[in-house]
Amino acid sequence: MIPPGRRKVPAISRPTSKDVAQEAGVSQSTVSLVLGGKWTGRVSPATARSVRIAAERLGYRPNKAARNLRLGTTRTVLLMVPTLTAPFFGPVYTGAARVAARHGFGVVVSTWPEDDPAGTGETVDRTPRNGPWASPHEAIDGILASSMAASTTATTVGGALREYRLTPAVMLDSGPAGDRVPTVDFGVADGMRAIVEHLAALGHRRIGHVAAAVDQWTFRTRADALTAAVTALPGGTVTRASCMIDVTSAKDAAGRLLDRSDRPTALVCDDDLIAAGAYKAARARGLDVPADLSVTGFDDVLLATALEPELTTVRLPAEELGTQGMTALLDLLAGRRPPPRTLPGELIVRGSTAPPAPGDKDPRTP
Amino acid sequence: MIPPGRRKVPAISRPTSKDVAQEAGVSQSTVSLVLGGKWTGRVSPATARSVRIAAERLGYRPNKAARNLRLGTTRTVLLMVPTLTAPFFGPVYTGAARVAARHGFGVVVSTWPEDDPAGTGETVDRTPRNGPWASPHEAIDGILASSMAASTTATTVGGALREYRLTPAVMLDSGPAGDRVPTVDFGVADGMRAIVEHLAALGHRRIGHVAAAVDQWTFRTRADALTAAVTALPGGTVTRASCMIDVTSAKDAAGRLLDRSDRPTALVCDDDLIAAGAYKAARARGLDVPADLSVTGFDDVLLATALEPELTTVRLPAEELGTQGMTALLDLLAGRRPPPRTLPGELIVRGSTAPPAPGDKDPRTP
DNA sequence: CTGAAAGCGCTTACAG
DNA sequence: CTGAAAGCGCTTACAG
């Protein structure tokens, strides 16, 4: 009964611990003991040495699948992100991997839903029986699901009581989930409020929102918080245009706002990359940032300081998101129930914001 | 003999196919047949239905580790990258995942060497017995190793005949490896030559190289190709400063070159992000890009068009690297020996390059 | 100090 | 159409 995997690659057949045992003239269990580092006091040094030599000679590498099955754990966690193209997720991984490593866990990243890898326009479900939470093939101990689409979050978390029992999961940057799943989120509403306060203090009232047309909790929250904060301002008005998170699309959207007769004096952008597009739209119209137009970003990725002028934005502690998320997941795996956490963003004021040009100033402000 | 994994989480115990079988009143093999989709003609529709209902009721999810062990394959490939913070690797993943999905494979990403997750300054070796090629915990079918450190490439590939037999691997963007391992590389030397030709045609002779102090084949190759191409130019000279791939460090390095008495008229940067630093150094000195200083990047990531002026750079087909790499790996898994491939870069001329200012012009050029 | 054996949860020939 | 059984390669109690 040869498994089909073997049949395909007949030339290559990895040695097993049995082969090593035979080579060393010992039993298979001795090999396992020695190579597993649990031999002291149980196997003679001489035997251990011969086992190691035999393993080396054969190029033995333990079979992970067998090990995982036997131990009932893989000590591997899957970090699911919507895309790897966004610079935001690098630090999230770094934070998660750091904490994981300390506990002997590995982190592996995958996109969901699939980044449309087949290019068919529809997302590929590689495991029809397994629902959205299941990873396709990997044996894992838990999932860190970051920045899930808001629409699927509802369904997923809706059915989460069941799913959750099956693979321990923590949701990151995906909004509150009650007590159904542990969550770690950013204080994006507060961050947006800080931006509006900053702009208001400078004298801005006509705010343009260049919004990311991305179905995620964080962007919904940003839009809602912005609207609420601006309309609470005396004389405050919001105009809004939506775009994809890329420079060209953002430039177009920003341009639409700048071409209005009631041109905003400040553009609040949902993302630093969108702000780069706003810069371009401004320049194309001969508007100076920040003299003629203030621009703000969100996230504080590397791009924010690469731009000229450097971008006023809200720093989100991405690495901390990974750190806290992994900590929560390890808690969960240990049988605890980590409480939801919110990580505050921080307004970083740089050169892209200034008082509105005199002609643009609202008469009611000083 | 309860495996230790079980003991830790006594409350949660996932149902197995045996549980489903009991629930449905059938044998375990029938459950496997039905849920594996191989039941038509072998199990009655009624039985199949009851199995599916039982599985649903118990929230059954097949154990991947067991499946992997049994099948001898995981249909999962590991993409190893030096860091996830660089925007370059997103498209590589996308390309690899697309091809993989078409063949029923999944791709999972991990950094190596570990992105220093423990923050100790030394890289963590989670599996001391397993050498650099081994993934830490995951059971995988193969490895796509991208942009490996040049120093480890030598040792790794040196011992690769042995390693290679154990986990099929393809090296991406890591330089030629003879016939020891299949490789996919970029034509970075040609790309660098194209940059120099472009600058030379504009009249530049004093070239500054803002070099990435990163131990990778691609950067060594860029430096060598640049030096060779410039010194082949009549009157061509190269000055060089090294930096990390971040804006601040790049700005410093570029500044050192710009402060020389024989100030270069063009800065060739090893990376688009470095070019952003060069822009800043130029601005800080009142130099206009491109009127007073030409700047070029490399890679053509999103940043290149976010900058002002937009950056002349060499586009590397990152997604294609993933595509070709995965294709090669699938070939390898099928027992073929994919030949090494080189993907050409493409010079993208944008607004950051122009003829040198009159006073800077080499008298010998037109 | 060493080995024989159980068993993790699957898939799949094989026997009925 | 259905079930009993083998076996993937490990780890680890258990017996000697």
Side-chain angles (χ1 to χ4, degrees):
Chain A
M1 219 177 338
I2 301 163
R6 281 301 182 78
R7 225 177 267 147
K8 283 183 199 158
V9 193
I12 303 170
S13 141
R14 286 174 43 152
T16 70
S17 58
K18 226 169 156 180
D19 298 323
V20 176
Q22 189 162 35
E23 177 84 4
V26 298
S27 77
Q28 184 270 332
S29 31
T30 300
V31 171
S32 186
L33 243 27
V34 171
L35 299 182
K38 308 199 168 171
W39 60 279
T40 27
R42 302 206 260 173
V43 176
S44 77
T47 308
R49 227 180 83 82
S50 73
V51 166
R52 264 197 282 268
I53 288 169
E56 174 70 19
R57 189 162 42 224
L58 297 182
Y60 170 71
R61 206 63 58 85
N63 178 311
K64 301 273 190 350
R67 176 174 231 271
N68 290 342
L69 173 58
R70 173 60 225 234
L71 295 179
T73 172
T74 59
R75 295 194 91 76
T76 297
V77 156
L78 182 69
L79 171 63
M80 295 265 232
V81 300
T83 170
L84 272 170
T85 307
F88 178 77
F89 298 104
V92 178
Y93 170 82
T94 304
R98 193 206 326 285
V99 173
R102 255 188 234 127
H103 293 81
F105 275 71
V107 179
V108 119
V109 190
S110 198
T111 57
W112 185 81
E114 306 295 313
D115 238 354
D116 188 21
T120 55
E122 46 184 280
T123 61
V124 179
D125 186 1
R126 289 179 292 186
T127 46
R129 298 194 311 280
N130 285 0
W133 278 98
S135 72
H137 304 103
E138 312 82 39
I140 51 165
D141 287 349
I143 293 182
L144 285 176
S146 185
S147 314
M148 317 280 294
S151 59
T152 64
T153 302
T155 24
T156 308
V157 176
L161 267 179
R162 193 189 76 217
E163 299 290 352
Y164 174 46
R165 245 193 51 214
L166 300 174
T167 45
V170 171
M171 307 221 339
L172 309 181
D173 184 36
S174 304
D179 57 353
R180 292 169 293 192
V181 166
T183 55
V184 185
D185 287 310
F186 293 123
V188 289
D190 282 344
M192 206 41 118
R193 266 173 235 129
I195 285 178
V196 172
E197 269 167 39
H198 168 64
L199 292 173
L202 290 170
H204 295 276
R205 291 298 178 271
R206 290 200 310 280
I207 309 292
H209 182 204
V210 192
V214 173
D215 174 36
Q216 285 177 18
W217 167 82
T218 193
F219 294 116
R220 290 192 187 182
T221 308
R222 290 174 198 193
D224 292 348
L226 178 70
T227 302
V230 174
T231 54
L233 244 42
T237 58
V238 183
T239 49
R240 179 168 283 130
S242 291
C243 61
M244 304 284 95
I245 302 185
D246 71 70
V247 175
T248 311
S249 173
K251 182 183 174 186
D252 287 350
R256 289 198 298 277
L257 294 177
L258 295 179
D259 289 340
R260 293 173 61 114
S261 55
D262 58 341
R263 191 178 77 209
T265 61
L267 290 183
V268 172
C269 302
D270 260 353
D271 183 279
D272 294 342
L273 191 64
I274 292 178
Y279 276 36
K280 283 182 173 285
R283 257 186 212 109
R285 286 159 182 78
L287 298 172
D288 182 73
V289 176
D292 303 317
L293 178 73
S294 286
V295 175
T296 64
F298 220 103
D299 287 6
D300 195 33
V301 296
L302 277 181
L303 175 64
T305 52
L307 291 176
E308 195 70 36
E310 299 194 350
L311 186 66
T312 294
T313 189
V314 169
R315 175 176 299 165
L316 297 183
E319 196 167 326
E320 182 77 4
L321 185 76
T323 300
Q324 296 280 340
M326 183 56 77
T327 303
L329 185 51
L330 290 170
D331 277 356
L332 194 61
L333 290 172
R336 275 161 288 186
R337 291 197 129 270
R341 256 181 244 286
T342 299
L343 310 177
E346 182 191 0
L347 178 70
I348 310 282
V349 177
R350 297 201 183 96
S352 67
T353 46
D360 275 333
K361 213 171 218 166
D362 185 288
R364 280 164 297 183
T365 64
Chain B
M1 220 178 343
I2 300 162
R6 282 299 181 80
R7 225 176 265 147
K8 282 182 200 158
V9 193
I12 302 170
S13 142
R14 285 173 44 152
T16 69
S17 59
K18 225 169 156 180
D19 298 322
V20 176
Q22 188 163 35
E23 178 84 5
V26 298
S27 76
Q28 185 270 332
S29 32
T30 300
V31 171
S32 186
L33 244 28
V34 171
L35 299 182
K38 308 199 169 170
W39 59 280
T40 24
R42 302 206 262 172
V43 176
S44 76
T47 307
R49 226 179 84 82
S50 73
V51 166
R52 265 198 281 268
I53 288 170
E56 173 71 19
R57 191 161 42 222
L58 297 182
Y60 170 71
R61 207 63 58 88
N63 179 312
K64 301 271 186 357
R67 174 173 233 273
N68 289 342
L69 173 58
R70 173 59 227 236
L71 294 179
T73 172
T74 60
R75 296 195 91 77
T76 297
V77 156
L78 182 69
L79 171 64
M80 295 266 234
V81 299
T83 170
L84 272 170
T85 306
F88 178 76
F89 298 103
V92 178
Y93 170 81
T94 304
R98 192 205 327 286
V99 173
R102 254 188 236 128
H103 293 80
F105 275 71
V107 179
V108 119
V109 190
S110 200
T111 58
W112 185 81
E114 306 295 313
D115 236 355
D116 190 19
T120 57
E122 46 185 281
T123 61
V124 179
D125 185 1
R126 290 180 290 185
T127 46
R129 299 193 312 280
N130 286 1
W133 278 99
S135 72
H137 305 102
E138 312 81 41
I140 50 165
D141 287 349
I143 294 182
L144 285 176
S146 185
S147 315
M148 316 280 295
S151 59
T152 64
T153 302
T155 26
T156 307
V157 176
L161 268 179
R162 194 189 77 217
E163 300 290 352
Y164 173 45
R165 244 192 53 213
L166 299 173
T167 46
V170 170
M171 307 221 339
L172 308 180
D173 184 35
S174 303
D179 57 353
R180 291 169 295 194
V181 166
T183 55
V184 185
D185 287 310
F186 293 123
V188 290
D190 282 344
M192 207 40 121
R193 265 173 236 130
I195 285 178
V196 172
E197 269 168 39
H198 167 65
L199 291 173
L202 289 170
H204 294 275
R205 290 298 178 272
R206 291 201 309 279
I207 308 292
H209 182 204
V210 192
V214 172
D215 175 35
Q216 285 177 17
W217 167 82
T218 192
F219 295 115
R220 290 192 187 182
T221 307
R222 290 174 198 195
D224 292 350
L226 177 71
T227 303
V230 174
T231 54
L233 243 43
T237 58
V238 183
T239 49
R240 179 169 284 131
S242 291
C243 62
M244 303 286 93
I245 303 186
D246 70 72
V247 175
T248 311
S249 173
K251 182 184 174 186
D252 288 350
R256 290 198 297 278
L257 294 177
L258 295 179
D259 289 340
R260 294 172 61 115
S261 56
D262 58 341
R263 191 178 77 210
T265 61
L267 290 183
V268 172
C269 302
D270 260 354
D271 182 279
D272 294 340
L273 191 65
I274 292 178
Y279 276 36
K280 282 180 173 286
R283 256 185 213 111
R285 285 157 182 80
L287 298 172
D288 181 74
V289 175
D292 303 317
L293 179 73
S294 286
V295 175
T296 63
F298 219 101
D299 286 7
D300 195 32
V301 295
L302 277 181
L303 175 65
T305 52
L307 291 175
E308 195 70 36
E310 298 195 352
L311 186 66
T312 295
T313 189
V314 169
R315 174 175 300 166
L316 297 183
E319 197 167 326
E320 182 78 3
L321 186 75
T323 301
Q324 296 280 340
M326 183 57 75
T327 303
L329 185 52
L330 290 170
D331 276 357
L332 194 61
L333 290 172
R336 276 160 288 186
R337 292 196 129 271
R341 257 180 244 288
T342 298
L343 310 177
E346 182 192 359
L347 178 69
I348 310 283
V349 177
R350 297 201 183 96
S352 67
T353 45
D360 275 334
K361 213 172 216 166
D362 186 287
R364 279 166 298 184
T365 63

